[in-house]
């Protein structure tokens, strides 16, 4: 079966209906046991150019291809990445953490000059975890920011696919850098997800500040004490 290639069909329909800006949004790292959750955004307007060649959901691309696409995507659309740390995930839960990261990404777009008046967010998935996290100070004058959820939007909406690529590359880079200080967890290869080797390392040396401690308790009976790791959080 031929894979669906992302297009601008959904974005152009929204723009034709009067939206000024369509902001694709996707998360990365939701299921990891270590590291932040990242949310990418990519904003397009009526004058958006053709979809970058080879753009796809980040999960369908090799690491090398994702890295190659980032500068292309950044020229094509206004992009940003927001993150929420493992500590936020532990203290507030994954849904508030996603909202915090998404709001941070939107804040970066605003700081770069994007006006949210007339904007709509196309959010990958079936649940709106963003709206409650967007502060009133960021709302357009007409009311709360409009959010549309769409299942598998990262597969068929070019703006969402672009958001997934920039978020994946930025989060992977952070985990690869963290690997240099704590190589026993093999973060350069697993990027914080729960591989067997990752769990074995936690059992052997304990947990790092980058680990989501509450998730470790739920997922595996591992030792969480005895490791004074270097904290690496945020963007």
């Amino acid at each position: 079966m031929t894979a669906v290639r992302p297009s601008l069909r959904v974005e152009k329909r929204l723009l034709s209906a009067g939206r000024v800006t369509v902001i694709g949004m996707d998360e990365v790292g939701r299921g990891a046991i270590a590291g932040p959750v990242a949310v990418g955004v990519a904003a397009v307007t009526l004058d958006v150019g053709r979809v970058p060649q080879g753009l796809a959901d980040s999960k369908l691309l090799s690491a090398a291809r994702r890295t190659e696409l980032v500068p292309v995507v950044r020229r094509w659309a206004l992009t940003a990445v927001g993150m929420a740390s493992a500590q936020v995930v532990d203290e507030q839960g994954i849904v508030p953490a996603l909202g915090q990261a998404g709001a941070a990404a939107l804040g970066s777009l605003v700081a770069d000059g994007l006006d949210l008046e007339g904007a709509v967010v196309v959010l990958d998935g079936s649940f709106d975890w963003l709206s409650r996290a967007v502060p009133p100070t960021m709302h357009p004058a007409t009311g709360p920011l409009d959010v549309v959820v769409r299942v598998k939007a990262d597969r068929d909406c070019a703006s969402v696919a672009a958001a997934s690529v920039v978020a994946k590359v930025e989060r992977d880079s952070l985990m690869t850098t963290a690997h240099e200080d704590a190589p026993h967890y093999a973060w350069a290869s697993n990027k914080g997800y729960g591989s067997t080797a990752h769990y074995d390392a936690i059992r052997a040396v304990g947990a790092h500040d980058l680990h989501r401690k509450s998730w470790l308790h739920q997922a595996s009976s591992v030792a969480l004490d005895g490791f004074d790791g270097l904290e690496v959080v945020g963007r």
Side-chain angles (χ1 to χ4, degrees):
M1 185 173 64
T2 303
V4 176
R5 295 182 179 180
S7 72
L8 288 166
R9 179 177 57 85
V10 172
E11 289 90 339
K12 288 187 174 180
R13 185 173 70 236
L14 290 167
L15 292 167
S16 296
R19 304 295 185 179
V20 177
T21 308
V22 177
I23 304 169
M25 178 176 287
D26 197 15
E27 56 79 17
V28 174
R30 181 171 188 158
I33 62 170
V37 64
V39 172
V41 288
V44 299
T45 55
L46 272 173
D47 60 354
V48 63
R50 295 178 62 181
V51 176
Q53 185 174 4
L55 179 63
D57 171 21
S58 63
K59 296 186 292 295
L60 303 179
L61 300 170
S62 68
R65 183 57 181 147
R66 288 193 297 264
T67 300
E68 291 171 354
L69 275 170
V70 167
V72 178
V73 165
R74 292 196 184 280
R75 289 193 297 269
W76 177 71
L78 184 62
T79 67
V81 178
M83 296 196 187
S85 70
Q87 183 178 4
V88 171
V89 175
D90 278 338
E91 294 178 352
Q92 300 182 31
I94 188 61
V95 171
L98 287 168
Q100 179 176 306
L106 288 174
S108 292
L109 291 184
V110 172
D112 286 339
L114 181 68
D115 188 348
L116 294 180
E117 196 69 42
V120 58
V121 174
V122 178
L123 177 61
D124 179 58
S126 59
F127 174 69
D128 177 8
W129 39 257
L130 175 67
S131 291
R132 293 179 63 180
V134 178
T137 54
M138 203 182 295
H139 289 172
T142 52
L145 182 65
D146 195 9
V147 177
V148 175
V149 295
R150 183 177 177 86
V151 175
K152 296 190 183 302
D154 52 0
R155 301 290 181 96
D156 61 9
C157 296
S159 64
V160 181
S164 76
V165 168
V166 295
K168 175 67 173 167
V169 171
E170 188 158 330
R171 185 183 184 278
D172 281 2
S173 177
L174 185 152
M175 296 308 296
T176 299
T177 299
H179 171 94
E180 298 173 5
D181 295 311
H184 31 275
Y185 300 115
W187 286 332
S189 59
N190 64 49
K191 303 302 187 293
Y193 286 87
S195 67
T196 299
H198 192 172
Y199 279 119
D200 287 345
I202 300 169
R203 292 187 182 95
V205 301
H208 191 281
D209 285 347
L210 273 177
H211 280 109
R212 303 174 188 177
K213 309 299 192 303
S214 59
W215 290 40
L216 297 182
H217 282 302
Q218 297 169 17
S220 178
S221 56
V222 298
L224 297 181
D225 297 319
F227 182 76
D228 185 16
L230 174 65
E231 185 176 10
V232 184
V233 296
R235 291 190 63 184

